[in-house]
Amino acid sequence: MSSEIEIGRGKRAQRAYSLDDIAVVPSRRTRDPKDVSVGWQIDAYHVDIPVMAAPMDSVMSPANAILLGKLGGIGVIDLEGLWTRYEDPTSLYEEIAQLPAHAATARMQELYTEEIKPELVTQRLQEIRAADVTVAGSLSPQRTQQLWRTVVNAGVDLFVIRGSTVSAEHVSSVSEPLNLKRFIYELDVPVVVGGCATYQAALHLMRTGAAGVLVGFGGGAAHTTRQALGIHVPMATAIADVAAARRDYLDESGGRYVHVIADGGVGRSGDLVKAIACGADAVMLGAALARSEEAPGKGWHWGSEAHHGELPRGERAHVGTVGTMEQILHGPATQPDGTLNLIGALRRTMATTGYTDVKELQRVQVIVSPYQAR
């Protein structure tokens, strides 16, 4: 049955659903929450929880990447952010937090014109490695060819190539584009790449040899891509479509499994659960972790799109502070709005629906809420 609808005589569109539009259905079997496993393994790296931190300056500092690693996840540091442009950006965070709304974008554009220093890239990654946690760093496709050797030589475990929209077939008449397939083939470390939001785009990225694919456009709470570019794909549909590409690529490749990581729009525990129910292996958290007491953004949240020099597609958003990172991930929760104890909520849902591990939860029944769907 086609999911397309007619929006006018000359145009048809696919019906798509956000995570708010769906809900998970309990099954006939339940379990004790202590009897479920929420561990995740990508390539050779096993972690206790299926969580990566979004490489956004408001979320991740080297210290926060280490803290998340100790709490069971993977911290991804933005290697084009303040921490690789300035020796000590602490005062700049203070300034950004105090900026009036009308001046925030222009001032951030100024701050991010400082050159990236390769020696700081090495220093930040080695600092995380010294803490004995999984080391992950992120570059945009535009900067990858310039800095990848520095990143690999510093001892990164997972190389993340992240942009608003990343394709395996970028075409440019002004510069030589990054050849993802050749780059990944020649690299000695696993690569996670994205974002993408469609079956075909994901399939092409999987064929490059990526270990994981990011679904979505990242930075959901701080993005203005829909307003600025008219681009938006609701996450429930995007994840399900990319999960279908993973299934088909598994057959096409003779058994090579590519991880699907939901990136954007996963701000609360219910979103995390529903992202996995739609087919995600893990989630990349931005706003959820920006609300921690340790977050360098001090209750403010922004990504690289917010300070783009020519066309900003994001903003500095106020998300507030709700507790420590440990409380956000592992509880205990002191309020019922889904901002605290995300992993406890995941365990509870798995127990309620009878599944023993995260991979099994992908098979759970979901429904479309009649109050949301039109």
Side-chain angles (χ1 to χ4, degrees):
M1 184 177 67
S2 173
S3 61
E4 287 193 342
I5 60 173
E6 189 174 276
I7 60 174
R9 291 189 179 187
K11 197 72 173 180
R12 296 182 64 82
Q14 179 186 353
R15 185 187 295 276
Y17 300 98
S18 71
L19 294 175
D20 284 338
D21 293 330
I22 67 167
V24 170
V25 180
S27 69
R28 64 179 178 85
R29 178 184 291 124
T30 57
R31 299 180 184 276
D32 191 295
K34 295 180 180 178
D35 293 334
V36 304
S37 170
V38 294
W40 176 48
Q41 179 152 339
I42 178 168
D43 203 83
Y45 304 101
H46 178 85
V47 289
D48 294 334
I49 59 176
V51 168
M52 300 180 80
M56 303 169 80
D57 275 343
S58 57
V59 179
M60 281 288 104
S61 62
N64 258 22
I66 292 169
L67 176 59
L68 180 57
K70 299 292 186 183
L71 292 172
I74 299 175
V76 186
I77 190 167
D78 180 8
L79 298 175
E80 300 175 36
L82 295 173
W83 291 94
T84 59
R85 297 173 190 264
Y86 299 91
E87 186 69 39
D88 182 4
T90 306
S91 62
L92 302 182
Y93 279 104
E94 296 281 356
E95 180 183 351
I96 290 171
Q98 299 299 321
L99 288 171
H102 71 274
T105 297
R107 178 54 179 152
M108 290 170 69
Q109 286 175 319
E110 292 177 4
L111 293 175
Y112 282 89
T113 58
E114 179 73 19
E115 288 296 318
I116 297 168
K117 300 172 178 59
E119 64 272 18
L120 287 180
V121 172
T122 299
Q123 179 181 325
R124 304 313 185 196
L125 291 173
Q126 290 183 344
E127 182 180 341
I128 299 169
R129 173 156 296 286
D132 196 29
V133 298
T134 303
V135 183
S138 175
L139 291 173
S140 66
Q142 294 80 10
R143 294 275 192 175
T144 295
Q145 295 192 95
Q146 173 190 349
L147 293 168
W148 74 267
R149 291 185 187 276
T150 300
V151 175
V152 172
N153 290 340
V156 73
D157 294 320
L158 290 174
F159 196 128
V160 179
I161 300 176
R162 183 178 187 259
S164 295
T165 304
V166 177
S167 74
E169 298 182 7
H170 180 67
V171 178
S172 174
S173 61
V174 296
S175 63
E176 182 181 355
L178 174 67
N179 185 322
L180 268 177
K181 188 170 186 177
R182 185 177 65 191
F183 175 78
I184 292 174
Y185 177 79
E186 294 175 351
L187 209 61
D188 291 331
V189 299
V191 175
V192 174
V193 61
C196 68
T198 65
Y199 172 95
Q200 200 64 45
L203 191 59
H204 285 191
L205 288 178
M206 291 172 186
R207 288 170 177 163
T208 66
V213 171
L214 299 173
V215 185
F217 304 119
H223 251 220
T224 59
T225 304
R226 184 170 187 172
Q227 298 96 308
L229 301 183
I231 294 175
H232 173 72
V233 180
M235 280 297 286
T237 296
I239 296 167
D241 283 351
V242 175
R246 176 188 59 203
R247 177 200 62 211
D248 292 347
Y249 179 70
L250 189 68
D251 291 338
E252 173 188 306
S253 63
R256 185 172 181 276
Y257 189 90
V258 179
H259 292 263
V260 172
I261 302 159
D263 178 15
V266 185
R268 299 174 188 266
S269 56
D271 301 324
L272 186 159
V273 167
K274 290 185 281 187
I276 292 173
C278 287
D281 296 287
V283 297
M284 181 169 269
L285 299 180
L289 298 182
R291 299 188 188 106
S292 73
E293 292 176 5
E294 300 90 348
K298 305 181 183 303
W300 292 94
H301 182 43
W302 68 90
S304 59
E305 300 81 11
H307 51 77
H308 191 278
E310 298 175 359
L311 183 62
R313 302 176 304 282
E315 60 187 351
R316 183 198 60 165
H318 189 257
V319 296
T321 301
V322 297
T324 65
M325 188 185 293
E326 184 171 9
Q327 284 179 289
I328 288 170
L329 292 172
H330 299 294
T334 56
Q335 49 199 40
D337 60 359
T339 59
L340 296 169
N341 200 2
L342 274 65
I343 302 304
L346 175 61
R347 288 183 178 277
R348 180 71 59 176
T349 298
M350 292 171 64
T352 302
T353 54
Y355 294 100
T356 58
D357 61 45
V358 171
K359 187 64 187 170
E360 285 189 349
L361 184 61
Q362 294 173 353
R363 303 200 304 263
V364 71
Q365 180 184 353
V366 299
I367 60 170
V368 176
S369 168
Y371 301 105
Q372 296 291 340
R374 294 290 183 264

